Amino acid sequence: MNLIIFGPPGAGKGTQAKKISEYFNIPNISTGDMLREVVKKGTSFGRKAEKYISKGNLVPDELVIKILKKRIKRKDCNKGFILDGFPRNIKQQKYLSSLLEEIEKPIEQVINLIVTDEEIKKRLLGRRVCSECKKNFNIYQSNSDEKIDKCPVCGGKLMIRGDDNIETVKNRLNVYSEQTKPVIEHYYKKNFVIEIDGENSPEGVFKDIKNILEDIFDKDQICC
Ligand code: ADP
Ligand code: ZN
């Protein structure tokens, strides 16, 4: 079960990738999460990456490819994986195709989350991330009028991601249209793409994804 999940920034890729990873028991490979870990470590590599991330630009391909390659070659990817945030441009897509061919793990399905620009802006500017359990929440989607000030799941401190400000969000949307959309087009041409309405609740979106994946992949393959 070798999957990629696409969608504009804030479409819910991270949330859905986590759910898919847990339900189907395959590792979740998020280049965004891995890069943020590197930034946190404060190495020279991390400081370099941070300059790009804070502006909403893509981190140079060589850096991301290095991280990705190391991760995808780990043993746990033998049963499958879900890629979130990679490939983000045509160069990365070409690199991924040849790498996966070499290690004999071809991409089987590509999930494309469809969400309008309007909704995206609202979500990104209201997004908070729990510093403890790393779950995402949105202050605009909370059911009560009360503003949530700590993680509803574990009580951890809620943080605003450094790249969730209006300027950076605009740039991330541009980068997505110019560089990532052509990659998705490539997978459409290959007939690999499952389109999912990303404007439902996180649970509703996951249900749609799960139903389709269970139809496509035979159940024995999924559970073992
Ligand atoms: P989002 O999809 O919501 O923008 P991500 O967590 O996937 O968030 O990515 C955050 C940032 O990390 C991107 O704006 C970019 O700077 C960097 N990044 C993540 N994946 C890649 C990649 N494959 N290539 C280059 N930069 C990346
Ligand atoms: Zn939490």
Side-chain angles (χ1 to χ4, degrees):
M1 199 175 208
N2 305 335
L3 313 172
I4 312 180
I5 187 160
F6 281 109
K13 296 187 300 283
T15 305
Q16 296 303 325
K18 271 191 203 105
K19 286 182 186 289
I20 294 167
S21 155
E22 280 162 18
Y23 185 83
F24 292 106
N25 194 25
I26 52 174
N28 171 17
I29 304 182
S30 158
T31 47
D33 282 351
M34 291 193 287
L35 286 169
R36 279 184 289 276
E37 281 298 312
V38 173
V39 169
K40 237 200 302 184
K41 284 191 188 138
T43 56
S44 68
F45 187 114
R47 284 197 299 274
K48 197 170 170 201
E50 189 178 19
K51 284 192 194 139
Y52 296 90
I53 296 175
S54 63
K55 293 199 181 82
N57 292 321
L58 293 186
V59 170
D61 294 328
E62 315 81 72
L63 295 184
V64 187
I65 282 174
K66 210 166 137 192
I67 298 182
L68 189 269
K69 185 176 175 188
K70 202 169 149 202
R71 179 65 188 89
I72 217 163
K73 284 195 168 177
R74 271 173 42 191
K75 246 203 189 135
D76 62 346
C77 292
N78 287 344
K79 56 189 172 192
F81 51 81
I82 174 143
L83 282 180
D84 162 17
F86 195 96
R88 250 181 158 93
N89 59 28
I90 290 290
K91 191 171 163 208
Q92 293 182 7
Q93 179 265 309
K94 291 205 165 120
Y95 172 80
L96 182 70
S97 294
S98 62
L99 174 69
L100 295 183
E101 200 173 309
E102 183 193 315
I103 60 177
E104 294 177 15
K105 292 174 185 159
I107 289 301
E108 290 158 306
Q109 293 296 324
V110 170
I111 298 161
N112 191 17
L113 293 178
I114 312 291
V115 182
T116 59
D117 274 11
E118 200 109 327
E119 174 72 15
I120 290 297
K121 284 186 190 140
K122 195 173 107 191
R123 287 188 187 180
L124 288 176
L125 299 175
R127 173 159 71 185
R128 299 293 180 271
V129 186
C130 173
S131 57
E132 300 295 325
C133 73
K134 311 286 176 220
K135 285 211 164 66
N136 285 339
F137 302 95
N138 197 299
I139 52 170
Y140 300 123
Q141 282 168 6
S142 143
N143 290 331
S144 78
D145 290 338
E146 241 174 88
K147 218 171 147 195
I148 43 171
D149 58 355
K150 57 180 191 312
C151 173
V153 176
C154 78
K157 197 171 165 206
L158 292 181
M159 317 284 279
I160 301 179
R161 241 173 69 173
D163 56 352
D164 283 346
N165 61 72
I166 192 112
E167 281 312 311
T168 307
V169 164
K170 276 189 196 152
N171 193 39
R172 279 157 66 201
L173 287 171
N174 285 339
V175 169
Y176 173 76
S177 296
E178 284 163 20
Q179 302 196 47
T180 311
K181 273 194 182 155
V183 178
I184 307 173
E185 292 307 320
H186 163 84
Y187 290 112
Y188 268 102
K189 281 188 202 133
K190 295 193 125 197
N191 262 333
F192 280 176
V193 182
I194 306 166
E195 268 187 13
I196 302 281
D197 177 1
E199 296 206 5
N200 287 326
S201 68
E203 293 71 31
V205 175
F206 179 63
K207 206 169 145 212
D208 292 343
I209 296 176
K210 174 176 129 329
N211 287 345
I212 295 187
L213 289 179
E214 282 181 333
D215 269 353
I216 295 173
F217 292 91
D218 96 53
K219 299 254 172 14
D220 298 341
Q221 192 190 343
I222 291 171
C223 70
C224 305

